[in-house]
Amino acid sequence: KARRHHVWFDADRLQPGHDWEAFIEMGLEHLAADKANAAVILLLTPHSVRRPDGYCLNEVARTLSRGLRIIPLMVVDSEPPLSICRIQWLDMRECIPIQAKEAFYRPRFERLLKAIEESQLDFEGSQQRLIKALQPLEFDADILSHIPRFTGRQWVFDKVNAWLQENSPRQRVFWISGGPGVGKTALSAVLSSRYLEVAALHLCKFGHAQKSDPRRVVTSLAYQLSTQLPEYEARLAGLDLDRLAQDDARTAFDNLLVQPLAKLNQPDRAIVILVDALDEATSNDGRNELASFIASEFPKTPPWLRLIITSRPEKGITVPLQGLNPFMLDTQAESNRADIKEYLWRELAPHLGNRPDASGLVDQILEKSEGVFLYVERVCADLQDGNLSLDRLDQFPQGLGGVFWQFFERQFPDVDQFRKDVRPALRAILAAREALPMEILQLLFNWQEEELHDFTRTLGSLFPVTTEGGRDVIKPTHKALADWLGDEDKAGIYFVNAQHGHELLGNLGYGRFMSAVTALHPYFVSFLPAHLVEAQVQRIAATAFRSEVRSLGL
């Protein structure tokens, strides 16, 4: 306050007998109105951030959902929630009580002021070194999008609990397998937020090169484990991380995980690594290097370390993991159907009201869903938007493919216009090796800003525009959608051939490479060779590109 900051302090604002939740919401809304000049200072203690019932976890989620800056202060030894484990924290443990340790407190307070006023979160020390070398990946947005709407799955949690309570389980890997849209990623998000045992999380992402790169998976997991296991953090701090983090995945796994973890005392609980949507890391040739890597390398880790993975039952996964027995998320299991019914009753409560046919309506939607959670999410959204009506259940789509077909039929009734104005851009979006930057889409078709926004509006929520790495990008909302569009038998007149998208991106990127290589977009620096090869352009072009960018140090 002496430095003219407006301070909202919970001890001042939260009075007995008042609605604490409402007051906290008001405080966060006040900050969100001026994000650039706002910050939330979070005091890390075991009581405040413990999983699953730390009293500050909800506030952390709300803060992240509003895009507000968090400055964590470590007050008492504790393990930061995974949602903020990539944010550096300022160590204040030696400063308590402040009155008796003014000499320790004063320089830390000055560093806190720099963090607040100059956005300098570089607190040096081992934390900064680990973040810089291991480059942990971010999954906050993915986790936060699933948790508020999550329903049921107690039957899955019961199985996970039983597995965690086994002292020496026959399988240290708990493999959850299920078809597209059954809710595997939502389940992973909740497991990571509820279970203290989950010490590191990785969500494979369709079309995201970094999140499908086994080496980046290893380094990101290593960093997350270091935030939950202080003894492991100390081991990593003694290594030449800048060199080791550049090794291939198997070498990095041995040097960064297997060897340091083997020297640790056994923790007081099971330590779990969670890898979600393993199938989304499958390459175009059907190989899944990450699955093969897990099958061969994970058994080398200490017996107290465990692994939860989720995936579709695809050959790229089932072949390398054939030594494991998967736990199936059966869409027709009564427990799964009961979860969907619970979700429908909750989400459709405003529409069902006191209708005498409410129970029958829910049962009919359940049957049309074919046991797929993604279906009921889309249907509930269409009901909210007025695209569907409970009075016309005959117009409801059948199954997930029906949802996609109905969306495209509604959005693009003029098929010729779809072929001319929409399909070319979808080819590029589906061919992209990670979410496609909007500026590249704009360059491909020479669009003005208005035309770019017109295009994205026509795609609705199935192709959301988000921000990743400070750039606006576009991607399909789910891998099931990309699979459907790429299957001519299912998508029919809306079929999109990604092969033509590789040609579009290859031609654009190579043309810009030839004219001004030093100004080449970062996306093309990373992925132009892959598009040239996929487009079956002579491999010499890709080779020449690689040689040139290396010589320029790009």
Side-chain angles (χ1 to χ4, degrees):
K1 289 181 179 178
R3 296 175 72 93
R4 302 179 68 181
H5 292 294
H6 298 283
V7 181
W8 192 100
F9 184 42
D10 61 358
D12 294 338
R13 300 298 183 101
L14 302 180
Q15 301 298 324
H18 289 81
D19 185 345
W20 286 27
E21 296 281 341
F23 273 102
I24 291 171
E25 284 287 341
M26 289 171 59
L28 293 176
E29 287 299 328
H30 176 68
L31 293 184
D34 187 14
K35 291 181 184 180
N37 297 307
V40 172
I41 299 175
L42 174 67
L43 306 185
L44 298 173
T45 70
H47 188 56
S48 69
V49 295
R50 67 169 180 249
R51 287 177 285 170
D53 55 353
Y55 69 90
C56 284
L57 291 179
N58 285 340
E59 283 76 3
V60 170
R62 290 167 176 159
T63 301
L64 291 172
S65 69
R66 288 169 169 81
L68 292 167
R69 190 161 51 108
I70 294 180
I71 303 173
L73 307 187
M74 184 68 73
V75 179
V76 181
D77 284 327
S78 52
E79 298 159 358
L82 290 182
S83 59
I84 62 166
C85 75
R86 288 163 298 281
I87 303 175
Q88 263 196 283
W89 43 263
L90 177 58
D91 191 350
M92 305 288 278
R93 288 172 292 186
E94 296 179 354
C95 308
I96 308 298
I98 292 172
Q99 293 79 1
K101 299 188 176 182
E102 177 74 18
F104 291 101
Y105 171 71
R106 180 53 53 184
R108 301 293 171 87
F109 179 68
E110 293 298 327
R111 294 171 82 179
L112 173 59
L113 289 174
K114 281 195 172 185
I116 295 171
E117 298 172 352
E118 302 174 26
S119 296
Q120 290 190 16
L121 281 173
D122 182 355
F123 297 137
E124 301 175 350
S126 62
Q127 266 191 97
Q128 171 61 12
R129 183 165 165 262
L130 287 171
I131 289 175
K132 183 178 179 181
L134 301 178
Q135 299 180 349
L137 299 166
E138 296 184 7
F139 303 101
D140 308 346
D142 306 272
I143 294 172
L144 290 169
S145 66
H146 289 290
I147 290 177
R149 306 191 311 274
F150 190 82
T151 298
R153 294 306 194 231
Q154 188 57 48
W155 51 289
V156 183
F157 296 137
D158 289 343
K159 288 287 187 181
V160 172
N161 291 337
W163 174 70
L164 288 173
Q165 289 166 12
E166 293 182 51
N167 289 328
S168 299
R170 189 174 64 84
Q171 288 187 170
R172 287 195 292 131
V173 180
F174 192 94
W175 176 15
I176 301 172
S177 180
V182 298
K184 297 184 292 295
T185 299
L187 180 62
S188 296
V190 174
L191 284 169
S192 71
S193 65
R194 289 187 186 176
Y195 283 74
L196 181 61
E197 291 85 354
V198 177
L201 166 74
H202 184 82
L203 307 180
C204 298
K205 198 79 169 178
F206 167 72
H208 194 297
Q210 292 180 346
K211 292 180 179 178
S212 301
D213 179 351
R215 185 186 67 82
R216 292 300 306 277
V217 174
V218 170
T219 58
S220 185
L221 291 175
Y223 175 78
Q224 292 178 63
L225 284 172
S226 76
T227 69
Q228 309 295 301
L229 300 170
E231 190 182 353
Y232 176 61
E233 179 186 6
R235 292 281 180 185
L236 288 185
L239 300 177
D240 184 357
L241 294 177
D242 291 331
R243 177 179 63 82
L244 296 178
Q246 299 306 314
D247 286 331
D248 64 86
R250 279 178 168 75
T251 305
F253 188 85
D254 186 66
N255 289 331
L256 296 177
L257 289 172
V258 175
Q259 302 305 325
L261 291 174
K263 298 179 178 68
L264 265 58
N265 295 311
Q266 182 166 339
D268 58 1
R269 66 185 191 276
I271 299 298
V272 177
I273 293 173
L274 195 162
V275 178
D276 174 68
L278 195 55
D279 56 281
E280 299 202 15
T282 302
S283 61
N284 291 335
D285 62 5
R287 293 182 66 253
N288 192 300
E289 186 182 353
L290 195 51
S292 300
F293 175 77
I294 287 172
S296 64
E297 303 302 316
F298 186 75
K300 301 175 183 177
T301 60
W304 46 262
L305 186 67
R306 305 193 194 186
L307 176 66
I308 296 176
I309 57 176
T310 75
S311 78
R312 298 190 199 182
E314 296 179 349
K315 285 188 177 181
I317 309 298
T318 58
V319 171
L321 299 183
Q322 58 188 281
L324 302 175
N325 295 318
F327 174 77
M328 298 300 299
L329 294 179
D330 183 0
T331 56
Q332 296 308 308
E334 192 52 44
S335 47
N336 181 65
R337 292 167 62 86
D339 288 344
I340 290 180
K341 285 185 75 169
E342 181 183 347
Y343 180 89
L344 287 169
W345 277 109
R346 187 189 71 193
E347 294 296 310
L348 298 183
H351 299 272
L352 294 171
N354 296 319
R355 293 180 62 139
D357 59 347
S359 181
L361 291 171
V362 168
D363 287 340
Q364 290 182 67
I365 298 173
L366 172 62
E367 292 305 317
K368 288 179 176 290
S369 75
E370 299 176 353
V372 176
F373 249 103
L374 184 58
Y375 173 96
V376 294
E377 286 184 7
R378 297 302 315 172
V379 162
C380 289
D382 277 343
L383 282 166
Q384 298 287 353
D385 295 339
N387 296 322
L388 292 174
S389 169
L390 290 177
D391 295 322
R392 293 299 308 272
L393 249 61
D394 59 304
Q395 295 180 354
F396 277 48
Q398 182 70 33
L400 192 54
V403 169
F404 298 148
W405 176 266
Q406 190 176 76
F407 172 86
F408 275 84
E409 197 173 39
R410 182 175 65 241
Q411 293 293 103
F412 310 110
D414 187 335
V415 178
D416 289 336
Q417 184 179 5
F418 168 82
R419 291 169 176 161
K420 175 177 175 290
D421 298 334
V422 180
R423 179 183 279 161
L426 289 183
R427 289 169 179 160
I429 293 170
L430 294 189
R433 297 299 292 266
E434 62 182 28
L436 188 65
M438 295 292 282
E439 58 261 38
I440 289 183
L441 195 61
Q442 193 170 359
L443 287 170
L444 275 172
F445 302 102
N446 196 29
W447 283 338
Q448 300 298 320
E449 284 292 328
E450 298 94 330
E451 294 168 306
L452 182 66
H453 292 309
D454 286 344
F455 170 76
T456 56
R457 273 194 295 269
T458 65
L459 294 179
S461 60
L462 287 185
F463 287 85
V465 176
T466 57
T467 302
E468 294 182 6
R471 296 181 182 275
D472 287 342
V473 297
I474 187 168
K475 58 187 175 184
T477 189
H478 199 280
K479 186 176 184 292
L481 173 59
D483 291 344
W484 181 83
L485 279 170
D487 188 329
E488 189 170 7
D489 291 336
K490 295 178 179 178
I493 56 177
Y494 298 109
F495 166 66
V496 176
N497 189 338
Q499 180 68 26
H500 299 314
H502 290 297
E503 295 170 6
L504 284 168
L505 291 167
N507 289 335
L508 174 67
Y510 197 68
R512 298 184 75 81
F513 160 64
M514 294 298 290
S515 61
V517 64
T518 55
L520 198 62
H521 192 283
Y523 176 87
F524 286 128
V525 172
S526 298
F527 303 119
L528 178 56
H531 290 303
L532 292 173
V533 172
E534 290 288 346
Q536 298 178 356
V537 175
Q538 288 185 346
R539 288 177 183 266
I540 191 172
T543 302
F545 169 81
R546 288 193 182 100
S547 175
E548 181 72 14
V549 295
R550 284 195 191 105
S551 69
L552 293 170
L554 292 177

